[in-house]
Amino acid sequence: MKNILTTCPFCGVGCNFYLKAERGRILGISPSRNHPVSRGRLCVKGWNAFEFISHPDRLRNPLVKKKGKFKETSWQAAYELIVKNIKRTKAQYGPDAFGVISSARCTNEENYLIQKFARVCLGTNNVDHCARTCHAPSVAGLTRSFGSGAATNSIDELPGAKCILVIGSNAPEAHPIIGWRIITAKDKGAKIILADPRGTCVSNYSDVHLKLFPGTDICLLNGMMHVILKEGLEDKGFIDERTEGFDEFRKILEKYTPEYAERVTRVPKEIIIEAARVYATSKPASIIYSLGITQHITGTDNVSTLANLAMLTGNVGKRSSGVNPLRGQNNVQGACDMGALPNVLSGYQDVEDVWVRQKFEKAWGVKLPFKKGLTNSEMFQAPRRIKFFYIIGEDVVHSEPNSKHVAACLEKAEFVVMHDLFFCKTAEYADVILPASSFAEKDGTFTNADRRIQRVRKAIKPCFETKPDGQIIAELSGLLGCPLKYKNASDIMDEIARLSPIFGGVSYERLETAGFLQWPCPDKNHPGTKIMHQEKFSRGKGKFFAIEHLPAQELPDAEFPFILSTGRIIFHYNSGTQTRRTAILSREFPENFVQINTEDAQRLKIKNKSKVSVSTRRGALTIRAVVTDDIIPGVIWMPLHYADKLTNILTIDAFDPISKIGEYKVCAAKLEPVK
């Protein structure tokens, strides 16, 4: 038996563990005791991150749709069909008829190849990935406020914080190792502030719980900052020396009195005042947030408002402080870093910048498209421009809002190619399905939520007839006459480092020695950056933004009197294609459910575990009710993991105008008992 050190393929915490490999199979997992984030601990998903690898449902051979049914075919035949349709589409419609959706489950090196394939071989900047459904507002919001769209601090600093504001995140379920770190900080005396409509695991040990109405985060935070300014608790020296835009920002806050904030958020003014005082006076203070902040039509403004709060109190550029998004998937940070986005190349270099484009054109030997492309959400919006979808490891029918609309777009497309481990909802609409290899069957790197680049090591040969995503892309590129040739994953990382200044010092040689590197790491002598913005912000001075509260697009009314919000549970991961094929995880929560407040349940005569109909203006589901006091009256909550009862047929396709993320956390809904 071999023990192969690698990085977990689930959430963005980036825990390390050893895969126990024997005779071409993974038989178990053992945590890495020396890893700076996980320190010998794993969550229930991490302990079981191997069973799906050899599951009998794995796709084994390429599939081609003929007369509405899928038939197995050879790799050569599948490639020939794809190449034929790529050439036809380009000749008939031009390069911008392609839409490429990359994957946060792929390695950094594979994401780099995918975006290069889109730009070099297809000639389009229409490339994006699932950050559009989770943390695109983090990239946009933190970039405009600080100059860099990533976490400011490291996960292992959390126990040193004197205060942690957890907002829009149920960390112990979605990011359990982060939850453990928050508890460690609490045990050491830190004050914990939770802002969440639900009673979560964090509320069990929080000092202040702000049970705000969904979609009112800006009003709540502005109310807290109003108190901080009124009581003189701001960091005047930090504001004067290191920020700009403060005067205009300050004027906006005048109307956000605790009384006004209470009317909008439904949080008692006394609790808002208490939270403001605790955060402002307990330094260093760290802000932890996740999808409860980003998945709104105001997602980017929500993130910038958190940046305002941190700058107002001087909680940036210091140990155990900052603004820290918890990334949802194992490599969503890395996919962004590698340029799997429509507006930037690797290292967040603007596609519309002439100098940047010329640098990449010289290195790649090709003319590149010069206008930014379409996001995921724009690819699925009218007027329909995408004729050919190339989708890698992303079940968009499951994960995008208003799933029926997305399915209809794929059905109308002229050709759809998909790579994945398993047959999924999106695969139903594909013309060709290519069987991909898992994380245990390839080499590369992942980048976790705190910018930590870590190795992924091949433990076994690819199962069945599967191939790594990067190999598939390289082989297709050769058949298209624009070969993307590399010796190995290390060779790809060397090119990334040459072309991307923030990764200039990253190499496999250094990663093998150090274990990880945190970007920015500009040269081979740089140790990597643990804390961002210490002496100055990436943009020079941090910028305050004057941001007003904006209500959600669809609020309750007489016909749909509830707010529906969505999220995750500890036993499952995203669309569930992996975790629902892991026996112990599937057993714990085998089916979808809806949480409803006890008072609402009594009024509607709904009993715990009884069947109910949940409906919105887009669809309806019949599922089990979970009656609880952990959710505020007027709000219902559903997890997103179940393909047979697809929550996203209910959610609204309303989007943040800046980052184009969907509003998963707020839409009007109706709840009725089913006899």
Side-chain angles (χ1 to χ4, degrees):
M1 182 179 290
K2 295 180 180 179
N3 289 292
I4 311 298
L5 183 63
T6 193
T7 304
C8 184
F10 288 134
C11 79
V13 175
C15 302
N16 275 196
F17 53 59
Y18 292 90
L19 290 171
K20 296 181 177 295
E22 185 179 57
R23 297 179 183 178
R25 288 177 62 88
I26 306 298
L27 302 180
I29 278 172
S30 177
S32 170
R33 296 186 179 277
N34 295 319
H35 190 259
V37 173
S38 50
R39 297 185 181 238
R41 290 168 170 81
L42 294 173
C43 74
V44 67
K45 292 189 290 291
W47 277 111
N48 292 280
F50 68 96
E51 188 176 324
F52 70 87
I53 294 168
S54 56
H55 196 280
D57 286 353
R58 280 284 299 272
L59 293 169
R60 297 170 181 240
N61 300 96
L63 300 174
V64 174
K65 186 181 286 181
K66 294 182 178 179
K67 296 181 180 180
K69 294 185 178 181
F70 286 102
K71 303 286 186 180
E72 286 192 355
T73 190
S74 67
W75 278 98
Q76 182 179 352
Y79 283 160
E80 288 175 355
L81 182 59
I82 294 168
V83 169
K84 175 184 174 182
N85 278 277
I86 287 175
K87 291 179 177 178
R88 176 191 60 79
T89 302
K90 187 178 287 190
Q92 189 172 352
Y93 301 109
D96 284 335
F98 295 102
V100 179
I101 298 177
S102 192
S103 175
R105 287 190 285 155
C106 290
T107 64
N108 285 322
E109 296 74 14
E110 288 173 325
N111 274 290
Y112 180 81
L113 280 188
I114 292 161
Q115 62 88 24
K116 185 174 180 179
F117 174 80
R119 290 168 166 127
V120 171
C121 300
L122 303 182
T124 184
N125 282 322
N126 294 342
V127 57
D128 204 2
H129 70 287
C130 71
R132 199 62 52 191
T133 64
C134 60
H135 275 288
S138 295
V139 177
L142 292 178
T143 297
R144 70 180 188 177
S145 295
F146 296 160
S148 175
T152 61
N153 290 69
S154 302
I155 294 168
D156 51 333
E157 297 171 31
L158 275 175
K162 297 300 181 184
C163 174
I164 301 175
L165 168 59
V166 183
I167 182 166
S169 168
N170 185 3
E173 294 223 25
H175 304 87
I177 298 302
I178 302 286
W180 161 61
R181 289 305 193 122
I182 295 171
I183 292 171
T184 303
K186 172 70 174 179
D187 289 343
K188 294 175 69 174
K191 299 289 187 181
I192 309 299
I193 303 169
L194 173 65
D196 199 300
R198 295 196 304 147
T200 67
C201 297
V202 181
S203 60
N204 295 330
Y205 51 87
S206 62
D207 296 277
V208 184
H209 186 181
L210 302 148
K211 289 188 176 183
L212 73 163
F213 195 68
T216 62
D217 303 272
I218 289 171
C219 188
L220 174 69
L221 295 167
N222 280 353
M224 288 175 60
M225 289 187 283
H226 176 100
V227 173
I228 291 169
L229 284 171
K230 182 180 179 181
E231 298 189 2
L233 301 176
E234 74 274 22
D235 189 327
K236 295 181 178 65
F238 186 92
I239 294 166
D240 291 342
E241 294 170 16
R242 298 201 52 193
T243 70
E244 61 186 12
F246 179 71
D247 291 338
E248 185 180 353
F249 156 76
R250 182 170 194 150
K251 291 176 184 176
I252 281 287
L253 294 185
E254 291 176 1
K255 78 174 186 182
Y256 288 92
T257 63
E259 292 78 12
Y260 176 77
E262 178 178 357
R263 289 196 299 273
V264 175
T265 66
R266 306 185 187 179
V267 178
K269 63 180 182 180
E270 294 81 10
I271 299 179
I272 295 173
I273 293 169
E274 181 185 5
R277 289 171 177 167
V278 169
Y279 177 81
T281 60
S282 306
K283 294 185 178 182
S286 176
I287 296 173
I288 295 294
Y289 74 90
S290 194
L291 307 191
I293 278 290
T294 59
Q295 289 184 331
H296 295 273
I297 59 169
T298 57
T300 304
D301 282 346
N302 286 353
V303 172
S304 286
T305 304
L306 289 175
N308 287 344
L309 177 61
M311 290 188 291
L312 183 65
T313 54
N315 276 302
V316 189
K318 301 169 184 174
R319 183 175 175 81
S320 304
S321 68
V323 183
N324 301 292
L326 302 186
R327 301 288 186 162
Q329 294 202 47
N330 56 302
N331 201 34
V332 71
Q333 180 66 61
C336 292
D337 298 344
M338 294 300 109
L341 294 168
N343 60 326
V344 293
L345 291 148
S346 59
Y348 302 96
Q349 299 174 85
D350 192 342
V351 298
E352 296 182 326
D353 185 301
V354 174
W355 184 88
V356 166
R357 202 164 58 250
Q358 287 176 346
K359 177 178 68 169
F360 279 86
E361 287 175 344
K362 182 178 180 181
W364 291 348
V366 66
K367 280 289 182 182
L368 293 173
F370 57 88
K371 291 183 179 179
K372 66 181 181 181
L374 300 178
T375 65
N376 277 7
S377 49
E378 289 170 328
M379 292 180 198
F380 295 117
Q381 296 305 302
R384 184 169 57 85
R385 292 167 57 183
I386 306 300
K387 308 295 183 182
F388 188 122
F389 280 97
Y390 200 116
I391 303 170
I392 300 173
E394 181 68 16
D395 191 356
V396 292
V397 173
H398 191 126
S399 60
E400 291 287 322
N402 192 359
S403 297
K404 290 180 180 178
H405 172 77
V406 174
C409 286
L410 291 176
E411 197 163 25
K412 292 175 183 176
E414 294 185 6
F415 205 77
V416 178
V417 179
M418 183 166 195
H419 305 191
D420 216 318
L421 305 181
F422 300 99
F423 197 89
C424 61
K425 299 295 287 186
T426 303
E428 296 174 15
Y429 303 92
D431 294 284
V432 178
I433 303 172
L434 303 177
S437 300
S438 73
F439 80 108
E441 301 160 281
K442 57 189 174 185
D443 284 309
T445 57
F446 293 154
T447 304
N448 80 338
D450 64 7
R451 300 169 280 105
R452 194 180 304 259
I453 303 167
Q454 304 181 107
R455 287 282 280 113
V456 179
R457 295 178 176 88
K458 184 177 179 179
I460 58 174
K461 294 180 181 179
C463 296
F464 315 116
E465 296 299 317
T466 69
K467 295 183 179 185
D469 299 283
Q471 181 181 341
I472 296 170
I473 291 295
E475 290 174 351
L476 266 178
S477 71
L479 294 173
L480 286 166
C482 53
L484 307 180
K485 289 185 177 180
Y486 299 89
K487 296 176 184 177
N488 48 39
S490 175
D491 197 21
I492 301 172
M493 180 56 75
D494 289 343
E495 179 173 306
I496 295 166
R498 286 195 302 272
L499 293 175
S500 315
I502 62 174
F503 307 121
V506 179
S507 68
Y508 274 39
E509 182 181 4
R510 291 192 70 192
L511 290 172
E512 291 294 347
T513 302
F516 65 88
L517 288 167
Q518 288 173 275
W519 67 261
C521 181
D523 59 67
K524 64 181 181 180
N525 297 315
H526 195 284
T529 304
K530 191 175 180 66
I531 303 170
M532 296 278 281
H533 318 301
Q534 285 186 274
E535 296 180 3
K536 65 176 183 178
F537 286 95
S538 298
R539 67 182 303 278
K541 287 193 171 186
K543 183 173 178 60
F544 281 99
F545 281 86
I547 298 170
E548 293 274 18
H549 163 70
L550 179 70
Q553 181 159 319
E554 188 178 79
L555 293 172
D557 55 26
E559 184 179 3
F560 295 96
F562 286 93
I563 282 287
L564 169 64
S565 194
T566 67
R568 300 176 179 181
I569 58 176
I570 191 171
F571 293 99
H572 286 299
Y573 171 72
N574 286 17
S575 59
T577 52
Q578 295 156 304
T579 53
R580 285 186 290 104
R581 289 178 173 89
T582 302
I584 191 171
L585 302 178
S586 186
R587 181 191 70 198
E588 293 298 324
F589 279 89
E591 63 179 1
N592 206 351
F593 61 91
V594 59
Q595 286 187 338
I596 176 175
N597 177 268
T598 303
E599 294 178 15
D600 291 328
Q602 290 174 347
R603 177 171 50 81
L604 295 173
K605 298 181 180 179
I606 292 172
K607 294 182 179 180
N608 191 42
K609 297 185 179 180
S610 65
K611 286 188 176 182
V612 295
S613 170
V614 184
S615 60
T616 68
R617 290 178 171 86
R618 290 152 295 281
L621 290 175
T622 299
I623 56 177
R624 299 280 178 185
V626 174
V627 179
T628 176
D629 289 326
D630 285 341
I631 194 164
I632 61 176
V635 177
I636 58 177
W637 183 91
M638 293 174 61
L640 54 85
H641 312 292
Y642 299 90
D644 56 337
K645 298 286 186 179
L646 201 56
T647 297
N648 278 327
I649 70 168
L650 305 174
T651 50
I652 185 171
D653 48 351
F655 299 97
D656 178 351
I658 300 171
S659 65
K660 310 300 182 184
I661 196 169
E663 185 151 54
Y664 295 85
K665 300 305 183 190
V666 183
C667 72
K670 179 166 53 178
L671 196 63
E672 299 171 296
V674 173
K675 296 182 180 179

